Amino acid sequence: MSSQLPESLNGLPNFCGAEQQVESVIQSGRGKRVFLPQSRINFAGIRSAFANALHMHQPLMPAGGRDLASAEIVSNLKYMMDNPSIGDNHNAPVFHWCYKRMGEFVPQLIDEGKQPRIMLEYSGTLLHGLQRMGLNDVFDNLKRITCEPDYQGAIEWLGCPWGHAVAPSTPVQDFRLHVKAWQHHFAAVFGFEALARVRGFSPSEMALPNQPDVAYEFVKTLKECGFDWVLVQEHSVERPEDGSSLERKHLPHRLICRNSRGQEATIIAIIKTQGSDTKLVAQMQPYYEAKGLSPWELAGKPIPPLVTQIADGENGGVMMNEFPGKYLEVMRECSGSDTPAMNVIEYLEHLAVEDIGEKDLPPVQPLFQKRIWDRFPPGGGPEKLSEVIVQLKKEDNRFHMEGGSWTNSISWVRGYEKLLGPMEKASSHFHEKVLKPGVPTHEQRYRNALFHLLCSQSSDFRYWGTGIWTDYGREICRRLETILANEF
């Protein structure tokens, strides 16, 4: 089945309007093994494995002009190229190469007889920005390794929120829109067959909700959208029995999220260890760590551990300069060895052959939930949950429900009330004027409103602190409010 969806429509991303087709493709792929038939790895004969993922993202922002109120919404990459003398903007041409270079490395290695692997995660805002800039060479390279049978077994694409929204502080109905919009957009760019192979999910900023009702909806959304596994940061989860940190971090776990009404949702969790340091991926640290490991017991069987890392694929001198040579070196060295590179879904499909599935994995839950469940009566409801959370916050100022992330030093909530207020107001109005009345998703006015909603929720408008970046977010919210008032 090949995609017949146009990549964009009237200047906007094609990320809505064909939901039934997209859902049909996802449902038809459920339960099918897509990477195992091409895997040449002798799983029973290896000691360990490693998986690297590259996170690629550029936000869309109203920076295409001097007047904020009328400036065109453009990619940050375009802004960098148009203003090379500001800050680090001179790196824009290198970023451009970073977005396409895996399309050069992977065919080169496969043509040498090697077995390269890499996981890719590109935000929807980045894909749209690249399209609007006419950087077709990026898509030519990515489509080659994504769609051509000779190379596609080396690549695992990861789903993500379209607009790089952080799950803990994004309205749950909007987060679902981000997930579905990314799937729709990905199908429009790379085709339905490629979408059917997307089984893993990478949360923006590695942000895992720990408020029970939000965490439950997060996992429920992923499972209902067809994802089999999610990448989580090691210090954002805990062991349910005692709230302690994980022991065998390089084995898959079962993420359990229970809400205040007693409902439960689960998904396979792959644990990313350590913080967000691009050196870990640029210098291929997971390979060298994995070389020192041997099989661990899981479900009564010896299983090779999988060391997993993700990092920005373009940011920083190590990713721009050191990664290419080191990636090629390690892929040549590890191919055919007892510590090969493996993508996560390939690894999980090998586990399935051993009759090991989600039910057999050790459980984890979001951080701080042990303290909640110790006091919360099963099925006590949202009001009782709020009471328990308030009490725990009073007793310990370190206790919070802001969610886990790749770092403990950044809050996605504190200090951003002037931005979060307009975001929540715009989201509420979008729900009342667009979702609740059931406005058809193929209409241009729906697509335009959705575009502004999802763009406004990018973590970038909070990551960089208050100032121009929060102004960008507030301005997109203002434009959304105008669209909702005038067109609905």
Side-chain angles (χ1 to χ4, degrees):
M1 183 191 301
S2 61
S3 172
Q4 298 182 13
L5 299 177
E7 294 184 11
S8 61
L9 293 166
N10 299 315
L12 293 174
N14 186 5
F15 60 5
C16 60
E19 286 80 8
Q20 288 187 343
Q21 285 177 277
V22 173
E23 175 67 17
S24 176
V25 169
I26 293 170
Q27 291 296 334
S28 66
R30 287 192 183 223
K32 293 182 180 177
R33 295 174 183 170
V34 292
F35 286 90
L36 190 64
Q38 302 175 65
S39 179
R40 293 159 47 198
I41 291 171
N42 176 19
F43 195 68
I46 64 174
R47 293 189 302 110
S48 58
F50 68 101
N52 276 353
L54 302 180
H55 162 68
M56 305 287 199
H57 167 63
Q58 291 290 346
L60 297 168
M61 58 198 199
R66 295 185 177 181
D67 178 27
L68 183 64
S70 61
E72 180 187 2
I73 293 179
V74 299
S75 171
N76 184 54
L77 183 65
K78 176 173 171 52
Y79 177 80
M80 292 174 68
M81 288 187 172
D82 292 345
N83 300 275
S85 61
I86 299 176
D88 294 330
N89 288 0
H90 59 275
N91 288 325
V94 183
F95 282 16
H96 173 199
W97 179 59
C98 290
Y99 296 134
K100 67 177 182 176
R101 64 188 180 185
M102 295 313 301
E104 301 170 8
F105 299 161
V106 168
Q108 176 184 342
L109 289 164
I110 289 179
D111 291 348
E112 292 176 10
K114 306 303 180 184
Q115 300 173 34
R117 297 289 187 273
I118 198 71
M119 298 188 294
L120 300 177
E121 180 236 306
Y122 283 52
S123 71
T125 54
L126 172 61
L127 293 174
H128 179 64
L130 294 171
Q131 289 173 314
R132 291 290 290 168
M133 294 172 70
L135 299 180
N136 296 324
D137 55 337
V138 175
F139 293 100
D140 290 342
N141 278 18
L142 293 177
K143 287 177 182 178
R144 184 185 185 195
I145 57 177
T146 302
C147 304
E148 292 187 17
D150 288 346
Y151 306 126
Q152 65 187 27
I155 305 299
E156 179 176 3
W157 279 93
L158 307 182
C160 61
W162 188 88
H164 208 263
V166 284
S169 53
T170 299
V172 293
Q173 74 274 9
D174 294 354
F175 191 79
R176 180 174 287 247
L177 291 173
H178 278 278
V179 174
K180 296 176 79 68
W182 185 90
Q183 291 177 309
H184 194 297
H185 194 182
F186 183 85
V189 174
F190 296 104
F192 285 133
E193 288 183 348
L195 176 63
R197 298 195 299 272
V198 179
R199 306 295 178 84
F201 189 85
S202 176
S204 303
E205 309 292 359
M206 297 299 297
L208 177 67
N210 63 338
Q211 201 281 353
D213 288 342
V214 179
Y216 168 80
E217 293 295 336
F218 171 77
V219 173
K220 184 171 180 279
T221 288
L222 297 188
K223 291 303 286 281
E224 291 181 352
C225 289
F227 292 100
D228 293 332
W229 67 273
V230 62
L231 192 62
V232 302
Q233 181 73 33
E234 64 170 312
H235 61 247
S236 68
V237 290
E238 64 185 18
R239 297 169 66 190
E241 59 269 28
D242 56 12
S244 64
S245 58
L246 310 188
E247 295 179 345
R248 299 192 298 171
K249 301 169 185 176
H250 301 312
L251 288 179
H253 286 67
R254 177 166 49 99
L255 177 63
I256 302 173
C257 292
R258 179 165 30 111
N259 67 9
S260 61
R261 293 184 171 86
Q263 298 168 299
E264 191 173 279
T266 68
I267 191 170
I268 295 173
I270 299 298
I271 310 301
K272 176 204 173 297
T273 55
Q274 306 185 62
S276 182
D277 186 347
T278 50
K279 291 181 180 179
L280 295 174
V281 172
Q283 298 174 356
M284 301 299 288
Q285 179 271 345
Y287 170 58
Y288 298 103
E289 182 176 355
K291 285 181 70 175
L293 301 176
S294 297
W296 295 344
E297 184 178 308
L298 179 62
K301 299 176 182 178
I303 298 300
L306 181 73
V307 182
T308 308
Q309 291 290 351
I310 185 171
D312 289 352
E314 77 282 67
N315 277 329
V318 287
M319 284 308 304
M320 289 187 284
N321 303 312
E322 296 180 32
F323 173 74
K326 197 63 179 177
Y327 176 80
L328 293 171
E329 173 192 329
V330 166
M331 289 300 146
R332 288 170 177 142
E333 181 179 317
C334 76
S335 295
S337 75
D338 59 2
T339 302
M342 293 186 75
N343 289 327
V344 169
I345 198 63
E346 177 186 19
Y347 178 87
L348 293 176
E349 288 179 347
H350 276 287
L351 286 186
V353 172
E354 301 291 326
D355 198 29
I356 297 176
E358 184 178 325
K359 68 183 187 307
D360 302 301
L361 306 179
V364 293
Q365 65 188 16
L367 190 68
F368 294 144
Q369 287 198 354
K370 173 67 165 59
R371 296 168 68 177
I372 293 175
W373 303 133
D374 282 347
R375 300 190 183 189
F376 185 79
E383 290 187 9
K384 180 61 178 177
L385 175 63
S386 296
E387 292 174 6
V388 171
I389 290 173
V390 168
Q391 186 60 40
L392 287 168
K393 286 181 178 178
K394 287 181 180 179
E395 296 173 6
D396 184 354
N397 59 14
R398 294 169 299 179
F399 179 90
H400 66 82
M401 289 284 102
E402 296 178 9
S405 185
W406 57 267
T407 174
N408 289 324
S409 63
I410 294 177
S411 170
W412 305 107
V413 177
R414 280 169 280 147
Y416 294 105
E417 292 79 6
K418 290 184 179 180
L419 173 59
L420 290 174
M423 281 175 54
E424 291 168 358
K425 183 180 176 183
S427 170
S428 176
H429 289 168
F430 182 87
H431 181 267
E432 289 297 319
K433 291 200 167 190
V434 181
L435 297 183
K436 195 172 179 181
V439 175
T441 60
H442 66 266
E443 291 186 7
Q444 180 70 2
R445 60 174 183 156
Y446 178 98
R447 184 173 290 106
N448 190 35
L450 180 65
F451 174 75
H452 285 80
L453 175 73
L454 302 189
C455 285
S456 75
Q457 295 172 342
S458 171
S459 71
D460 301 84
F461 302 139
R462 285 179 270 173
Y463 180 83
W464 298 107
T466 56
I468 187 61
W469 283 92
T470 51
D471 291 344
Y472 286 151
R474 287 164 57 85
E475 171 58 22
I476 297 175
C477 289
R478 184 196 67 79
R479 296 186 190 190
L480 173 57
E481 293 282 15
T482 301
I483 292 167
L484 295 173
N486 295 338
E487 299 184 26
F488 294 89

PDB file of all heavy atoms in Angstrom, residues 326-343:
ATOM      1  N   LYS A 326      32.613   8.477  14.399  1.00  0.00           N
ATOM      2  CA  LYS A 326      32.487   7.470  15.446  1.00  0.00           C
ATOM      3  C   LYS A 326      31.376   6.487  15.116  1.00  0.00           C
ATOM      4  O   LYS A 326      31.509   5.272  15.365  1.00  0.00           O
ATOM      5  CB  LYS A 326      32.208   8.152  16.787  1.00  0.00           C
ATOM      6  CG  LYS A 326      32.467   7.252  17.986  1.00  0.00           C
ATOM      7  CD  LYS A 326      33.946   6.853  18.062  1.00  0.00           C
ATOM      8  CE  LYS A 326      34.243   5.970  19.254  1.00  0.00           C
ATOM      9  NZ  LYS A 326      35.632   5.518  19.291  1.00  0.00           N
ATOM     10  N   TYR A 327      30.270   6.979  14.555  1.00  0.00           N
ATOM     11  CA  TYR A 327      29.175   6.080  14.170  1.00  0.00           C
ATOM     12  C   TYR A 327      29.651   5.061  13.138  1.00  0.00           C
ATOM     13  O   TYR A 327      29.410   3.860  13.271  1.00  0.00           O
ATOM     14  CB  TYR A 327      27.999   6.892  13.622  1.00  0.00           C
ATOM     15  CG  TYR A 327      26.860   6.027  13.119  1.00  0.00           C
ATOM     16  CD1 TYR A 327      25.945   5.471  14.003  1.00  0.00           C
ATOM     17  CD2 TYR A 327      26.710   5.759  11.755  1.00  0.00           C
ATOM     18  CE1 TYR A 327      24.902   4.672  13.555  1.00  0.00           C
ATOM     19  CE2 TYR A 327      25.672   4.961  11.297  1.00  0.00           C
ATOM     20  CZ  TYR A 327      24.779   4.423  12.198  1.00  0.00           C
ATOM     21  OH  TYR A 327      23.751   3.618  11.744  1.00  0.00           O
ATOM     22  N   LEU A 328      30.340   5.548  12.111  1.00  0.00           N
ATOM     23  CA  LEU A 328      30.825   4.645  11.064  1.00  0.00           C
ATOM     24  C   LEU A 328      31.818   3.631  11.643  1.00  0.00           C
ATOM     25  O   LEU A 328      31.763   2.436  11.324  1.00  0.00           O
ATOM     26  CB  LEU A 328      31.483   5.460   9.949  1.00  0.00           C
ATOM     27  CG  LEU A 328      30.544   6.371   9.139  1.00  0.00           C
ATOM     28  CD1 LEU A 328      31.351   7.289   8.229  1.00  0.00           C
ATOM     29  CD2 LEU A 328      29.555   5.552   8.327  1.00  0.00           C
ATOM     30  N   GLU A 329      32.697   4.103  12.505  1.00  0.00           N
ATOM     31  CA  GLU A 329      33.696   3.218  13.116  1.00  0.00           C
ATOM     32  C   GLU A 329      33.031   2.109  13.933  1.00  0.00           C
ATOM     33  O   GLU A 329      33.362   0.917  13.793  1.00  0.00           O
ATOM     34  CB  GLU A 329      34.626   4.032  14.017  1.00  0.00           C
ATOM     35  CG  GLU A 329      35.599   3.199  14.840  1.00  0.00           C
ATOM     36  CD  GLU A 329      36.289   4.023  15.917  1.00  0.00           C
ATOM     37  OE1 GLU A 329      36.499   5.242  15.702  1.00  0.00           O
ATOM     38  OE2 GLU A 329      36.605   3.453  16.983  1.00  0.00           O
ATOM     39  N   VAL A 330      32.079   2.486  14.807  1.00  0.00           N
ATOM     40  CA  VAL A 330      31.448   1.508  15.692  1.00  0.00           C
ATOM     41  C   VAL A 330      30.568   0.550  14.907  1.00  0.00           C
ATOM     42  O   VAL A 330      30.541  -0.661  15.198  1.00  0.00           O
ATOM     43  CB  VAL A 330      30.654   2.226  16.800  1.00  0.00           C
ATOM     44  CG1 VAL A 330      29.725   1.254  17.524  1.00  0.00           C
ATOM     45  CG2 VAL A 330      31.613   2.882  17.787  1.00  0.00           C
ATOM     46  N   MET A 331      29.848   1.028  13.924  1.00  0.00           N
ATOM     47  CA  MET A 331      28.988   0.138  13.139  1.00  0.00           C
ATOM     48  C   MET A 331      29.818  -0.902  12.389  1.00  0.00           C
ATOM     49  O   MET A 331      29.402  -2.053  12.244  1.00  0.00           O
ATOM     50  CB  MET A 331      28.118   0.939  12.172  1.00  0.00           C
ATOM     51  CG  MET A 331      27.025   1.725  12.854  1.00  0.00           C
ATOM     52  SD  MET A 331      25.869   0.674  13.781  1.00  0.00           S
ATOM     53  CE  MET A 331      25.468   1.738  15.159  1.00  0.00           C
ATOM     54  N   ARG A 332      30.970  -0.507  11.920  1.00  0.00           N
ATOM     55  CA  ARG A 332      31.848  -1.475  11.247  1.00  0.00           C
ATOM     56  C   ARG A 332      32.397  -2.498  12.236  1.00  0.00           C
ATOM     57  O   ARG A 332      32.528  -3.672  11.918  1.00  0.00           O
ATOM     58  CB  ARG A 332      32.993  -0.728  10.551  1.00  0.00           C
ATOM     59  CG  ARG A 332      32.543   0.048   9.317  1.00  0.00           C
ATOM     60  CD  ARG A 332      33.612   0.964   8.786  1.00  0.00           C
ATOM     61  NE  ARG A 332      33.155   1.638   7.562  1.00  0.00           N
ATOM     62  CZ  ARG A 332      33.446   2.914   7.257  1.00  0.00           C
ATOM     63  NH1 ARG A 332      34.201   3.629   8.086  1.00  0.00           N
ATOM     64  NH2 ARG A 332      32.992   3.446   6.149  1.00  0.00           N
ATOM     65  N   GLU A 333      32.693  -2.030  13.448  1.00  0.00           N
ATOM     66  CA  GLU A 333      33.276  -2.919  14.446  1.00  0.00           C
ATOM     67  C   GLU A 333      32.255  -3.879  15.050  1.00  0.00           C
ATOM     68  O   GLU A 333      32.548  -5.052  15.284  1.00  0.00           O
ATOM     69  CB  GLU A 333      33.913  -2.081  15.564  1.00  0.00           C
ATOM     70  CG  GLU A 333      34.572  -2.903  16.662  1.00  0.00           C
ATOM     71  CD  GLU A 333      35.199  -2.037  17.734  1.00  0.00           C
ATOM     72  OE1 GLU A 333      35.844  -1.027  17.362  1.00  0.00           O
ATOM     73  OE2 GLU A 333      35.054  -2.356  18.938  1.00  0.00           O
ATOM     74  N   CYS A 334      31.035  -3.391  15.287  1.00  0.00           N
ATOM     75  CA  CYS A 334      30.052  -4.209  16.011  1.00  0.00           C
ATOM     76  C   CYS A 334      29.281  -5.167  15.105  1.00  0.00           C
ATOM     77  O   CYS A 334      28.689  -6.140  15.588  1.00  0.00           O
ATOM     78  CB  CYS A 334      29.076  -3.324  16.772  1.00  0.00           C
ATOM     79  SG  CYS A 334      27.822  -2.515  15.762  1.00  0.00           S
ATOM     80  N   SER A 335      29.251  -4.904  13.822  1.00  0.00           N
ATOM     81  CA  SER A 335      28.502  -5.764  12.904  1.00  0.00           C
ATOM     82  C   SER A 335      29.036  -7.189  12.944  1.00  0.00           C
ATOM     83  O   SER A 335      30.233  -7.416  12.772  1.00  0.00           O
ATOM     84  CB  SER A 335      28.585  -5.221  11.470  1.00  0.00           C
ATOM     85  OG  SER A 335      27.943  -3.967  11.360  1.00  0.00           O
ATOM     86  N   GLY A 336      28.154  -8.136  13.218  1.00  0.00           N
ATOM     87  CA  GLY A 336      28.546  -9.534  13.291  1.00  0.00           C
ATOM     88  C   GLY A 336      29.197  -9.933  14.597  1.00  0.00           C
ATOM     89  O   GLY A 336      29.582 -11.098  14.760  1.00  0.00           O
ATOM     90  N   SER A 337      29.308  -9.002  15.554  1.00  0.00           N
ATOM     91  CA  SER A 337      29.940  -9.311  16.834  1.00  0.00           C
ATOM     92  C   SER A 337      28.899  -9.817  17.831  1.00  0.00           C
ATOM     93  O   SER A 337      27.713  -9.912  17.515  1.00  0.00           O
ATOM     94  CB  SER A 337      30.627  -8.053  17.389  1.00  0.00           C
ATOM     95  OG  SER A 337      29.661  -7.148  17.913  1.00  0.00           O
ATOM     96  N   ASP A 338      29.352 -10.109  19.055  1.00  0.00           N
ATOM     97  CA  ASP A 338      28.399 -10.547  20.070  1.00  0.00           C
ATOM     98  C   ASP A 338      27.820  -9.368  20.852  1.00  0.00           C
ATOM     99  O   ASP A 338      27.136  -9.547  21.842  1.00  0.00           O
ATOM    100  CB  ASP A 338      29.024 -11.574  21.021  1.00  0.00           C
ATOM    101  CG  ASP A 338      30.243 -11.052  21.749  1.00  0.00           C
ATOM    102  OD1 ASP A 338      30.601  -9.860  21.560  1.00  0.00           O
ATOM    103  OD2 ASP A 338      30.862 -11.824  22.513  1.00  0.00           O
ATOM    104  N   THR A 339      28.114  -8.141  20.404  1.00  0.00           N
ATOM    105  CA  THR A 339      27.475  -6.929  20.935  1.00  0.00           C
ATOM    106  C   THR A 339      27.056  -6.060  19.751  1.00  0.00           C
ATOM    107  O   THR A 339      27.683  -5.046  19.449  1.00  0.00           O
ATOM    108  CB  THR A 339      28.431  -6.154  21.862  1.00  0.00           C
ATOM    109  OG1 THR A 339      28.851  -7.008  22.932  1.00  0.00           O
ATOM    110  CG2 THR A 339      27.735  -4.939  22.476  1.00  0.00           C
ATOM    111  N   PRO A 340      26.005  -6.460  19.049  1.00  0.00           N
ATOM    112  CA  PRO A 340      25.589  -5.725  17.858  1.00  0.00           C
ATOM    113  C   PRO A 340      24.692  -4.530  18.189  1.00  0.00           C
ATOM    114  O   PRO A 340      24.122  -4.432  19.281  1.00  0.00           O
ATOM    115  CB  PRO A 340      24.796  -6.772  17.081  1.00  0.00           C
ATOM    116  CG  PRO A 340      24.161  -7.594  18.171  1.00  0.00           C
ATOM    117  CD  PRO A 340      25.185  -7.661  19.273  1.00  0.00           C
ATOM    118  N   ALA A 341      24.580  -3.643  17.223  1.00  0.00           N
ATOM    119  CA  ALA A 341      23.562  -2.598  17.294  1.00  0.00           C
ATOM    120  C   ALA A 341      22.213  -3.225  16.948  1.00  0.00           C
ATOM    121  O   ALA A 341      22.121  -4.040  16.030  1.00  0.00           O
ATOM    122  CB  ALA A 341      23.893  -1.469  16.319  1.00  0.00           C
ATOM    123  N   MET A 342      21.206  -2.879  17.712  1.00  0.00           N
ATOM    124  CA  MET A 342      19.851  -3.353  17.442  1.00  0.00           C
ATOM    125  C   MET A 342      18.882  -2.198  17.677  1.00  0.00           C
ATOM    126  O   MET A 342      19.063  -1.418  18.616  1.00  0.00           O
ATOM    127  CB  MET A 342      19.457  -4.518  18.353  1.00  0.00           C
ATOM    128  CG  MET A 342      20.226  -5.797  18.134  1.00  0.00           C
ATOM    129  SD  MET A 342      19.566  -7.163  19.143  1.00  0.00           S
ATOM    130  CE  MET A 342      18.064  -7.547  18.236  1.00  0.00           C
ATOM    131  N   ASN A 343      17.863  -2.106  16.852  1.00  0.00           N
ATOM    132  CA  ASN A 343      16.787  -1.180  17.146  1.00  0.00           C
ATOM    133  C   ASN A 343      15.814  -1.840  18.110  1.00  0.00           C
ATOM    134  O   ASN A 343      15.733  -3.069  18.182  1.00  0.00           O
ATOM    135  CB  ASN A 343      16.096  -0.725  15.868  1.00  0.00           C
ATOM    136  CG  ASN A 343      16.985   0.194  15.045  1.00  0.00           C
ATOM    137  OD1 ASN A 343      17.787   0.959  15.598  1.00  0.00           O
ATOM    138  ND2 ASN A 343      16.849   0.128  13.732  1.00  0.00           N
TER     139      ASN A 343
END
